[in-house]
Amino acid sequence: MILCANFKANKTRQETRAYMAVVESFVSANDISDTIIVFPPFTALDHDPRNVLIGVQNGYPVINGAYTGEIALEQLEEFGIRTILIGHSERRHVIGETQEQIAAKFQFFAEQGFVIVYCVGEPLSVREAGNDVMMGYIEQQFEGIDLSYPDLILAYEPVWAIGTGLTPSNEDIEALHSALRAKTSAPLLYGGSVKVENAGEIMALDNVDGVLVGSAALSANDFCDMIAQAAELNTEIGE
Ligand code: PGA
């Protein structure tokens, strides 16, 4: 399983340090073999991760240069960052990134060999318009994206489920993930209101290879609880 914690614009450097200490020691004490990725804000990237990967929530697709306010490859490399989140719904719908910008970012960081957690997902009105409209919408989010990129992790995050406490039914998650599985062999994460109470059941669904967690992962103990649930599932399926 792959479990990601996306902090968004939450937590200071000091809080992130305390968080990482809890998660690192949980992972090593419990011999966790799952992949754990934490995405702190840019200001809190200075860690020396042992069992947990640190990724960035964004990056500007250049090596360096005159791009006021942006963080480019050179600055990320200084922190040993090799993992990036691209296409998150808040960047698409709140910040206003276009598919063209997202695809350019994907291409640049793929050329650099980054692990890319690429997010797709539909707003509620699109889901309500029926399966064909929804799949057509998601298809557009694959424009310019290489679904055979070997270090791709694909996250399905319905926009209406992010930070709302709402989740699709297990059947709907399975249906969507099986459609994605037909397109790519990349690991498939589900994201959107994952929490301690539903993480285990979601991770047990067909074609769900992990979760991308926002608000519920802000508590290190809750995130560790979800990691423990993943480890339990591995035992059950004899991994
Ligand atoms: P949430 O966010 O878990 O708070 O719904 C998920 C995400 O935005 O990745």
Side-chain angles (χ1 to χ4, degrees):
M1 289 285 162
I2 301 171
L3 292 95
C4 302
N6 176 14
F7 286 5
K8 311 187 180 187
N10 293 297
K11 293 200 189 289
T12 61
R13 191 160 70 121
Q14 217 170 334
E15 287 165 347
T16 304
R17 203 170 286 154
Y19 183 99
M20 290 303 295
V22 173
V23 176
E24 286 273 14
S25 66
F26 180 85
V27 168
S28 78
N30 293 282
D31 280 330
I32 300 294
S33 58
D34 302 272
T35 301
I36 312 301
I37 312 176
V38 175
F39 294 92
F42 282 130
T43 52
L45 294 178
D46 57 338
H47 293 281
D48 190 14
R50 295 183 305 271
N51 311 298
V52 174
L53 289 170
I54 299 277
V56 276
Q57 300 170 24
N58 189 29
Y60 202 68
V62 294
I63 292 170
N64 56 29
Y67 302 97
T68 300
E70 297 294 339
I71 305 279
L73 181 68
E74 190 176 85
Q75 291 89 47
L76 299 179
E77 282 184 330
E78 187 180 23
F79 290 99
I81 300 297
R82 306 291 306 155
T83 306
I84 187 167
L85 198 59
I86 296 180
H88 189 277
S89 117
E90 283 144 20
R91 298 217 56 90
R92 293 178 189 271
H93 299 286
V94 181
I95 316 286
E97 274 182 21
T98 64
Q99 184 60 30
E100 215 173 57
Q101 290 170 319
I102 289 168
K105 203 182 286 187
F106 187 100
Q107 205 180 329
F108 177 84
F109 284 101
E111 275 162 16
Q112 303 299 328
F114 271 52
V115 172
I116 298 177
V117 180
Y118 184 70
C119 306
V120 297
E122 81 292 349
L124 190 56
S125 59
V126 171
R127 173 165 282 261
E128 286 173 347
N131 198 58
D132 289 354
V133 173
M134 180 175 76
M135 292 316 294
Y137 184 93
I138 289 174
E139 195 60 47
Q140 286 174 6
Q141 297 180 323
F142 290 130
E143 261 168 38
I145 304 302
D146 176 8
L147 285 173
S148 61
Y149 177 58
D151 288 310
L152 169 67
I153 298 171
L154 187 58
Y156 168 58
E157 298 204 298
V159 178
W160 53 274
I162 296 178
T164 57
L166 302 170
T167 48
S169 67
N170 290 344
E171 294 70 34
D172 284 348
I173 295 174
E174 277 188 335
L176 208 295
H177 278 234
S178 98
L180 295 177
R181 174 56 69 234
K183 303 174 74 61
T184 177
S185 56
L188 302 176
L189 312 185
Y190 169 78
S193 294
V194 175
K195 47 185 184 281
V196 167
E197 293 75 21
N198 62 13
E201 126 187 28
I202 290 174
M203 287 187 285
L205 297 175
D206 283 350
N207 292 313
V208 174
D209 304 305
V211 285
L212 172 50
V213 193
S215 25
L218 290 175
S219 151
N221 288 333
D222 283 359
F223 190 48
C224 290
D225 190 321
M226 292 182 240
I227 296 170
Q229 293 182 41
E232 186 122 335
L233 282 170
N234 296 341
T235 320
E236 277 169 26
I237 56 177
E239 272 181 23

